[in-house]
Amino acid sequence: MARRPLIAGNWKMNGLKADGLALAEGIAAKLKAAPPPADLLVCPPATLIDALCRAVAGSGLAVGGQDCHAANSGAHTGDIAAPMLKDLGASHVIVGHSERRTDHRETNAQVQAKATAAHAAGLVAIICIGETEAERDAGRTLAVVGEQFDGSLPAGATADNTVIAYEPVWAIGTGRTPTTPEVVEVHAAIRALAGKRLGAAGADRLRILYGGSMKPSNAKELLALADVDGGLIGGASLKVEDFWAIAQSCP
Ligand code: PEP
């Protein structure tokens, strides 16, 4: 079936209020003028979610968080709960990004618990999985991605409340990307694994994004690949023109 692509911007720890608003408003203005062939989402730092949700309301641009805690409230200094994101108007939340898995030692079990919390709060969880360069060199890409998929996907996952982002760790922020056959191989493997968890119809509807150094110059080629249903974009999501050009590259 035809899956509508999703182009999601992960702003990471970038943007003060004025920059963030200008970026989101710039994308929203383009979206209103000429809707692209994709759903568009920006995931700013948590500090900007409230302002952005207000600024882009009604434009069609969705706003998401970059992480959430597995608990709904409690003694977790500095953390943000999924219902808090929902309360501000967020619709999605990224969980298990490789920078969180590395910087905060997040395990598959923790990512799964976060995704469960996201679902309970009514958010779409964008679950990130991907191998390191050493794991790829050791021929373990499909094994690692499979372990992460199985361990991070919660029991209640559906094609409506979950998006998978395949992000080879070595391609994030490096300017390097896998070859197109390598991307196709991993995406097909993820869809096959999804079939076991969501059933054939669910797997067919599940959106699987590619992430890792996607930019205007390579987006068209990557987004045209079988089983690639959009992109999770880091660096190139910080400029209106680049993010827009990637959105326009969707088939
Ligand atoms: C990311 O951090 O999710 C990402 C894909 O980053 P970049 O596009 O900068 O490689």
Side-chain angles (χ1 to χ4, degrees), residues 123-223:
L123 297 170
V124 175
I126 302 178
I127 302 176
C128 300
I129 56 180
E131 82 287 359
T132 63
E133 187 160 30
E135 288 163 344
R136 177 163 281 275
D137 290 347
R140 299 195 58 241
T141 297
L142 296 185
V144 169
V145 166
E147 275 163 32
Q148 290 183 344
F149 178 87
D150 282 335
S152 305
L153 196 78
T158 68
D160 295 315
N161 67 16
T162 303
V163 171
I164 301 295
Y166 167 55
E167 299 208 300
V169 179
W170 52 274
I172 294 178
T174 60
R176 299 164 59 204
T177 55
T179 64
T180 52
E182 286 169 345
V183 174
V184 169
E185 179 187 37
V186 179
H187 279 242
I190 293 170
R191 191 154 329 268
L193 289 169
K196 294 187 188 145
R197 296 285 300 269
L198 309 182
D204 194 39
R205 290 179 52 234
L206 180 72
R207 293 196 280 195
I208 306 173
L209 313 185
Y210 169 79
S213 296
M214 189 183 282
K215 48 194 176 216
S217 59
N218 63 16
K220 201 172 170 76
E221 187 179 22
L222 288 163
L223 292 169

Side-chain angles (χ1 to χ4, degrees), residues 10 12 97 99 167 171-174 211-214 232-236:
N10 173 14
K12 312 194 188 198
H97 189 281
E99 287 152 14
E167 299 208 300
I172 294 178
T174 60
S213 296
M214 189 183 282
L232 181 54
I233 326 293

Side-chain angles (χ1 to χ4, degrees), residues 2-208:
R3 292 173 291 269
R4 185 166 163 80
L6 171 66
I7 299 296
N10 173 14
W11 293 5
K12 312 194 188 198
M13 197 172 69
N14 293 296
L16 300 181
K17 200 154 63 176
D19 313 323
L21 278 171
L23 178 51
E25 283 169 352
I27 297 165
K30 285 187 173 293
L31 182 54
K32 274 205 273 190
D39 294 334
L40 297 192
L41 165 72
V42 291
C43 298
T47 49
L48 298 184
I49 290 175
D50 185 34
L52 260 62
C53 284
R54 290 170 198 269
V56 306
S59 69
L61 178 62
V63 179
Q66 297 177 11
D67 178 50
C68 66
H69 198 278
N72 285 345
S73 63
H76 304 290
T77 303
D79 282 312
I80 294 172
M84 295 172 177
L85 298 173
K86 181 73 178 176
D87 188 41
L88 296 181
S91 52
H92 294 65
V93 62
I94 299 169
V95 291
H97 189 281
S98 68
E99 287 152 14
R100 301 235 21 123
R101 290 179 186 264
T102 304
D103 295 355
H104 300 272
R105 305 269 185 277
E106 287 186 10
T107 62
N108 290 331
Q110 285 169 325
V111 174
Q112 186 183 52
K114 288 176 180 218
T116 301
H119 292 162
L123 297 170
V124 175
I126 302 178
I127 302 176
C128 300
I129 56 180
E131 82 287 359
T132 63
E133 187 160 30
E135 288 163 344
R136 177 163 281 275
D137 290 347
R140 299 195 58 241
T141 297
L142 296 185
V144 169
V145 166
E147 275 163 32
Q148 290 183 344
F149 178 87
D150 282 335
S152 305
L153 196 78
T158 68
D160 295 315
N161 67 16
T162 303
V163 171
I164 301 295
Y166 167 55
E167 299 208 300
V169 179
W170 52 274
I172 294 178
T174 60
R176 299 164 59 204
T177 55
T179 64
T180 52
E182 286 169 345
V183 174
V184 169
E185 179 187 37
V186 179
H187 279 242
I190 293 170
R191 191 154 329 268
L193 289 169
K196 294 187 188 145
R197 296 285 300 269
L198 309 182
D204 194 39
R205 290 179 52 234
L206 180 72
R207 293 196 280 195
I208 306 173

